[in-house]
Amino acid sequence: MKYYILFGPPGAGKGTQAGAVSEKYNLKHISTGDLLRAEIAAGTELGKKAKDIMAAGNLVPDRVVEDMIEKVFDDNKDVAGFLLDGFPRTLGQAGDLDEMLSRRGEKVNAVISIMISDDTIQSRLMHRASIEGRADDANPETIKNRIVTYHKQTKPLIDYYRKDGKYYEVDGENGDISDVRKRMFSVFKGVDTKFAGREVVIDEALLDRVQKLAHEPPRLRMNYDLRNTEEDQSQRMLNVMLPGTRTAIHKHNMSSETIMLLRGKMDTVLYNDDGSEKERIHMGGDSGVIGVNIPTGQWHTFEVYELAIIFMAQDGPWSPLSKENMLKASY
Ligand code: AMP
């Protein structure tokens, strides 16, 4: 299970962006603000207690939101993960969340923060009040208090998660909603695929998930980094390739390359220096071939006929292919 935190001041656009992100990554979106507003609308005891606190722009007690969050975790076992929006909002809540997750054998995977200035907070909340009629958006005093609360109680969380290397920031100020969404997707994609080796288990579910990420044209392929940190001086990755993906005929001068086919069917094609085909190795299907060892300096490419997932290993860190190492144009 993945646990992502959508972070940022009120009015940053967390709620607006959460829908698209949770749909794309099959996450359950949990907005503590929405849950509390639902309690108020239903006239529950909890709602009655929260109403005045929220109207003043203060935070409701930690215990209240934490119980609500835990219940949503318990009630949603069939999602890929959760997207927390509006929680945690204090260092206390962040510590409690870590504890709650460690009881479940889980951890926070990443914190994605949408950043806007205080002036933008103010103008966005006033504007939202005119559309949604939220009581805590309309009153300038309440807005001021929410900004103060954010700076005092919520912003310190940035350092808390940054220390853990889990903090990512997205510009929420410039461009329109779709520009911010594009930035969010690109961060999520990186978070989801970088140093994935921390996940330990490579199973069919992981292959399914990576497979989903490969569908975006024009590349139609996707690398999933299996290293643990940037310090790992090797290349070990899953590579998902869809039919139609084009890889340049290329070579690696510093290392041989081992690929093992985990799913699908493909050809590894070796070339001579003059560009003529030297050998075509069918992999998968009834070929009986499950892997190839490509020697250092050997021109090669891959041709994919049905979705293929390979494990690829090479010595030395990844670097873009130079012109001299490409025999035919890259796609
Ligand atoms: P939001 O919709 O996230 O802006 O939340 C609206 C209001 O709900 C906040 O101003 C708080 O009064 C309350 N609230 C939402 N989430 C939390 C939380 N994690 N801890 C305490 N109070 C919260």
Side-chain angles (χ1 to χ4, degrees):
M1 208 57 106
K2 297 272 186 180
Y3 293 84
Y4 297 114
I5 295 168
L6 200 49
F7 188 83
K14 301 190 292 292
T16 308
Q17 299 297 340
V21 171
S22 44
E23 192 184 327
K24 186 166 169 125
Y25 292 96
N26 185 25
L27 304 173
K28 170 77 184 165
H29 171 213
I30 313 177
S31 155
T32 40
D34 284 351
L35 292 175
L36 289 166
R37 281 185 286 278
E39 296 282 342
I40 295 174
T44 64
E45 275 313 303
L46 194 161
K48 281 179 197 147
K49 280 187 202 142
K51 190 172 178 191
D52 291 341
I53 302 175
M54 288 171 71
N58 293 321
L59 297 181
V60 305
D62 292 352
R63 186 81 232 164
V64 172
V65 279
E66 287 162 12
D67 285 351
M68 288 193 319
I69 290 270
E70 189 141 34
K71 181 161 184 331
V72 184
F73 289 165
D74 287 339
D75 290 348
N76 291 275
K77 305 269 191 226
D78 56 346
V79 291
F82 295 93
L83 185 61
L84 303 178
D85 157 7
F87 178 88
R89 242 178 166 99
T90 64
L91 284 171
Q93 289 180 9
D96 291 345
L97 175 64
D98 283 347
E99 219 178 283
M100 197 191 295
L101 293 183
S102 93
R103 278 201 308 272
R104 295 166 171 265
E106 306 275 7
K107 61 186 171 4
V108 170
N109 293 86
V111 177
I112 293 93
S113 170
I114 309 180
M115 273 301 153
I116 56 171
S117 67
D118 286 357
D119 286 349
T120 306
I121 300 177
Q122 182 111 16
S123 59
R124 288 226 188 133
L125 294 191
M126 304 282 277
H127 178 66
R128 187 164 73 182
S130 67
I131 298 170
E132 293 178 14
R134 262 175 67 169
D136 59 346
D137 283 344
N139 180 340
E141 273 313 300
T142 309
I143 293 179
K144 220 158 135 199
N145 194 31
R146 285 166 74 197
I147 295 176
V148 170
T149 306
Y150 168 74
H151 281 287
K152 253 180 42 197
Q153 306 207 58
T154 308
K155 220 173 164 194
L157 291 179
I158 294 179
D159 279 341
Y160 182 86
Y161 289 113
R162 195 176 259 149
K163 268 191 217 124
D164 254 5
K166 291 180 177 167
Y167 182 78
Y168 301 83
E169 214 162 85
V170 166
D171 170 7
E173 184 103 22
N174 297 298
D176 58 18
I177 291 174
S178 76
D179 294 323
V180 178
R181 191 190 309 130
K182 274 185 211 139
R183 285 177 211 136
M184 296 278 301
F185 279 167
S186 104
V187 167
F188 262 89
K189 200 164 167 180
V191 164
D192 214 43
T193 57
K194 203 173 175 204
F195 311 138
R198 285 181 185 157
E199 284 184 353
V200 182
V201 174
I202 300 169
D203 55 8
E204 296 292 337
L206 176 65
L207 299 192
D208 288 343
R209 204 152 56 75
V210 182
Q211 191 169 315
K212 256 186 164 172
L213 296 172
H215 282 266
E216 275 161 41
R219 284 195 90 221
L220 298 172
R221 63 178 184 272
M222 169 82 213
N223 289 337
Y224 196 75
D225 190 350
L226 289 172
R227 296 172 305 154
N228 275 228
T229 69
E230 203 91 56
E231 277 78 52
D232 278 0
Q233 293 289 300
S234 65
Q235 292 175 64
R236 289 173 279 128
M237 63 182 82
L238 300 176
N239 203 326
V240 181
M241 296 183 280
L242 298 177
T245 190
R246 315 282 296 266
T247 312
I249 298 174
H250 66 283
K251 63 178 179 178
H252 305 288
N253 287 334
M254 304 305 284
S255 171
S256 58
E257 173 179 359
T258 301
I259 68 165
M260 301 297 298
L261 187 68
L262 304 179
R263 250 185 208 179
K265 228 168 141 179
M266 61 185 273
D267 285 355
T268 295
V269 192
L270 309 183
Y271 292 85
N272 298 306
D273 286 343
D274 63 5
S276 59
E277 197 173 304
K278 180 178 171 191
E279 192 178 350
R280 177 172 289 266
I281 306 160
H282 299 303
M283 303 175 69
D286 51 17
S287 68
V289 178
I290 56 166
V292 292
N293 231 348
I294 302 163
T296 307
Q298 170 64 59
W299 296 111
H300 65 282
T301 191
F302 307 113
E303 289 181 13
V304 176
Y305 300 107
E306 105 192 5
L307 173 133
I309 304 183
I310 57 173
F311 165 74
M312 193 276 271
Q314 256 184 78
D315 186 26
W318 183 88
S319 62
L321 281 174
S322 64
K323 245 185 166 167
E324 306 76 70
N325 289 333
M326 278 191 270
L327 192 61
K328 294 233 174 103
S330 183
Y331 298 92

